[in-house]
Amino acid sequence: QVQLVESGGGLVQAGGSLRLSCAASGRTFGGYAMGWFRQAPGKEREFVAAMVGSNGGTVYADSVKGRFTISRDSAKNTGYLQMNSLKSEDTAVYYCAAGIFSTSYKGYGYWGQGTQVTVSS
């Protein structure tokens, strides 16, 4: 079992930055791929970014490529999503997840509770 807790969300102006954190407890987080997903009101949960291992490959949604960076610190058992040049369309609840390396939510068996990110224009 892996328990995930996100933090770092909040209200930011367009063009600003936020860094989300995903603290893992239970089994070693490093044994799983990490994914970030988001869900805006009235929309389905969508893939944002994923990373395999601690220094492994990464993949990003086209909508965030070049603006967001996924990373993880094995020593702290924590993952991160650095979000720069935020846009109003990035407003959503952001979830971290642990599972297999995938762009589909179906690949992840462990989820955090989510953290709200609101970007004002």
Side-chain angles (χ1 to χ4, degrees):
Q1 289 283 347
V2 177
Q3 292 79 43
L4 304 172
V5 178
E6 302 96 335
S7 61
L11 174 64
V12 63
Q13 289 188 332
S17 298
L18 282 174
R19 188 177 79 156
L20 305 183
S21 298
C22 176
S25 61
R27 294 187 63 179
T28 303
F29 193 27
Y32 298 92
M34 177 181 69
W36 285 94
F37 290 77
R38 66 187 182 187
Q39 188 166 18
K43 295 187 177 181
E44 294 186 351
R45 189 169 299 192
E46 67 170 346
F47 169 77
V48 175
M51 183 174 188
V52 58
S54 298
N55 295 294
T58 58
V59 62
Y60 296 91
D62 288 343
S63 59
V64 306
K65 200 171 295 182
R67 300 188 298 123
F68 290 13
T69 303
I70 188 172
S71 63
R72 57 199 300 176
D73 185 331
S74 296
K76 296 182 178 180
N77 222 20
T78 299
Y80 305 97
L81 184 69
Q82 177 67 45
M83 306 186 295
N84 298 329
S85 302
L86 283 162
K87 306 175 181 179
S88 57
E89 50 263 43
D90 294 320
T91 295
V93 177
Y94 283 72
Y95 300 89
C96 72
I100 64 171
F101 188 59
S102 174
T103 60
S104 169
Y105 71 91
K106 296 179 181 179
Y108 299 86
Y110 302 102
W111 292 86
Q113 83 289 349
T115 185
Q116 176 71 46
V117 171
T118 302
V119 184
S120 63
S121 56

